[in-house]
Amino acid sequence: MNTKIISCEQDLQTAVCEAAGLILNGEVVAIPTETVYGLGANALCDVAVSKIFSVKGRPQDNPLIVHIADMEMAYEVANVSQTARRLMEEFWPGPLSVIVEKKDCIGDGVSAGLKTIALRMPKNEVAREIIRKAGVPIAAPSANVSGKPSPTLAKHVYEDLNGKIPLIIDGGPCEVGVESTVVQTVGVEIPTILRPGDVTPEMIGKIMGEVVLHESVCGKTTKNDVVMSPGMKYKHYAPKASVYVYEGDKKTVEKNVCSMYHNCKENAKNVVVFCMDDTAKGYEGLNLRLFGKDAKSAEAKFFAELREADQAKIDTILFHYENEMGLAIKNRIIRAAEKPQGEVTKTK
Ligand code: TXA
Ligand code: MG
């Protein structure tokens, strides 16, 4: 299959029309959102949805997020509780997926057999325009091959899915850079964050009074865990390099990172340190990649840097995590460092 790329900057109307047309025809298309690129298909069509799973190599028991353009569409596909509506009113359009009870028009393929679905109204105008034009809700996971870092540029999608999908809509770099915050509102008394994102627990707590973080957010997940968020039990975001996460007292971390770095060098490893701008002075002379000054800049750079490390044939990443990077990065880097058996390479 020939994979076409259409740039929104050059021809927005063609981009929207071709994407919507293919989606209505039961095809899967990569579309930009403000978080990461999504691999979209008609959420009301089982055959189209099954193509998402085969293109990505995604496990069948990992449910998809359903993207909608307006509240009317939300009510067509789900029963929206008061709690869910409050969250939607506050954070939509935006990087928040709210889990609600699904209606029958959404098949088991989308929900992986669950009675619930995650709903999201993206802030990205192109994404909403494609949904509007197609006139159907769009199921879309991140547009990467399962297990790989999520795509924040059209070229990342191309690297993973060239030849497997008919069309990639290039909407430029994703503004946020990490996937949406996923919040459970069904079967819990207090809204529960299953996956942290740009909408923080503090922001949700302020609106809802209370919020809970699911234990899998910052811990390792094992196969025996009862995982409320099915996606969290799989290997995620993994670059080819081995990832080591360092966290704690800055001076101690710097000492440990430097010692590991030199050790790698002695063993002819291609090693890099990932850290925040202000921390760079502790690593003078080392091969460094910088993540800016706050969570927003770290999120915007994170996945692209993991992919670039692969391009540069890096085989060891030493990640100096600091709280300023935020929970979304902590969650992703723990997953990236996870070995297939669920063992985390983390150094205090
Ligand atoms: O920002 C995003 O959310 C991006 C863009 C494309 O919108 N999409 C995305 O989808 O990250 P995906 O499939 O990579 O992640 C969906 C996550 C998974 O962790 C999945 O387990 C969880 O949402 N999820 C979906 N439906 C669920 C449900 N009914 N109950 C619990 N978790 C659910
Ligand atoms: Mg994903």
Side-chain angles (χ1 to χ4, degrees):
M1 187 187 290
N2 213 350
T3 301
K4 194 160 118 182
I5 302 179
I6 306 180
S7 154
C8 295
E9 214 172 59
Q10 273 160 19
D11 195 349
L12 181 61
Q13 271 322 306
T14 308
V16 169
C17 287
E18 288 211 18
L22 282 166
I23 285 170
L24 275 181
N25 243 338
E27 294 297 335
V28 292
V29 174
I31 61 172
T33 86
E34 75 278 20
T35 56
V36 300
Y37 276 78
L39 185 62
N42 181 351
L44 306 178
C45 172
D46 292 346
V47 178
V49 166
S50 72
K51 283 186 192 168
I52 294 179
F53 287 86
S54 54
V55 164
K56 272 191 67 122
R58 181 179 176 101
Q60 298 283 345
D61 64 350
N62 194 3
L64 305 173
I65 295 172
V66 176
H67 298 70
I68 47 153
D70 49 45
M71 280 310 287
E72 210 174 304
M73 243 186 204
Y75 296 127
E76 273 166 27
V77 297
N79 297 318
V80 178
S81 67
Q82 286 259 358
T83 305
R85 206 171 65 203
R86 185 79 194 89
L87 286 164
M88 293 166 180
E89 280 167 1
E90 186 65 29
F91 298 108
W92 281 6
L96 181 77
S97 297
V98 184
I99 298 175
V100 286
E101 255 175 46
K102 82 173 185 75
K103 288 189 175 167
D104 288 345
C105 60
I106 298 291
D108 280 347
V110 174
S111 69
L114 299 173
K115 290 193 165 52
T116 54
I117 45 165
L119 274 188
R120 176 160 112 78
M121 188 192 292
K123 189 169 159 212
N124 184 290
E125 301 277 358
V126 177
R128 287 214 308 284
E129 208 39 51
I130 292 170
I131 303 167
R132 248 183 245 122
K133 189 84 185 171
V136 293
I138 294 183
S142 47
N144 52 286
V145 162
S146 250
K148 294 254 250 146
S150 296
T152 55
L153 291 172
K155 77 164 186 184
H156 298 156
V157 180
Y158 191 79
E159 276 163 20
D160 277 19
L161 303 180
N162 177 27
K164 293 184 179 169
I165 57 174
L167 179 63
I168 298 170
I169 302 298
D170 185 351
C174 298
E175 194 189 323
V176 174
V178 291
E179 306 88 339
S180 61
T181 305
V182 177
V183 180
Q184 179 61 273
T185 67
V186 181
V188 291
E189 273 173 31
I190 302 169
T192 302
I193 295 179
L194 305 183
R195 181 176 72 182
D198 200 46
V199 174
T200 62
E202 292 75 23
M203 288 158 77
I204 294 174
K206 211 167 153 193
I207 300 305
M208 306 306 293
E210 278 180 299
V211 63
V212 170
L213 270 185
H214 188 260
E215 60 183 10
S216 69
V217 163
C218 279
K220 62 179 188 177
T221 48
T222 66
K223 287 223 172 75
N224 300 327
D225 271 347
V226 181
V227 182
M228 212 202 285
S229 181
M232 286 303 169
K233 71 171 179 272
Y234 292 107
K235 189 171 169 64
H236 260 78
Y237 321 121
K240 292 191 188 107
S242 300
V243 178
Y244 295 83
V245 185
Y246 294 79
E247 188 191 353
D249 167 70
K250 197 163 184 165
K251 287 282 160 244
T252 314
V253 168
E254 283 173 5
K255 197 170 133 255
N256 290 339
V257 167
C258 287
S259 134
M260 179 67 163
Y261 186 94
H262 293 300
N263 197 299
C264 286
K265 279 288 184 199
E266 275 160 28
N267 289 295
K269 296 265 191 218
N270 199 359
V271 56
V272 63
V273 177
F274 282 10
C275 67
M276 299 196 77
D277 290 1
D278 289 345
T279 310
K281 41 186 179 299
Y283 298 121
E284 225 166 289
L286 309 192
N287 183 18
L288 284 184
R289 302 301 301 175
L290 301 182
F291 280 73
K293 293 188 178 303
D294 55 19
K296 286 236 185 278
S297 56
E299 287 170 7
K301 289 173 185 216
F302 183 73
F303 283 126
E305 288 294 350
L306 289 185
R307 281 185 181 257
E308 272 173 33
D310 277 351
Q311 299 280 343
K313 304 225 172 339
I314 295 291
D315 44 34
T316 311
I317 295 172
L318 308 180
F319 195 99
H320 184 160
Y321 175 82
E322 292 178 273
N323 287 336
E324 289 81 0
M325 289 178 171
L327 215 48
I329 295 294
K330 183 166 187 172
N331 167 270
R332 299 323 185 268
I333 198 65
I334 287 174
R335 299 283 164 267
E338 218 162 24
K339 304 264 185 266
Q341 333 66 298
E343 176 198 326
V344 180
T345 315
K346 187 174 164 187
T347 316
K348 270 276 179 194

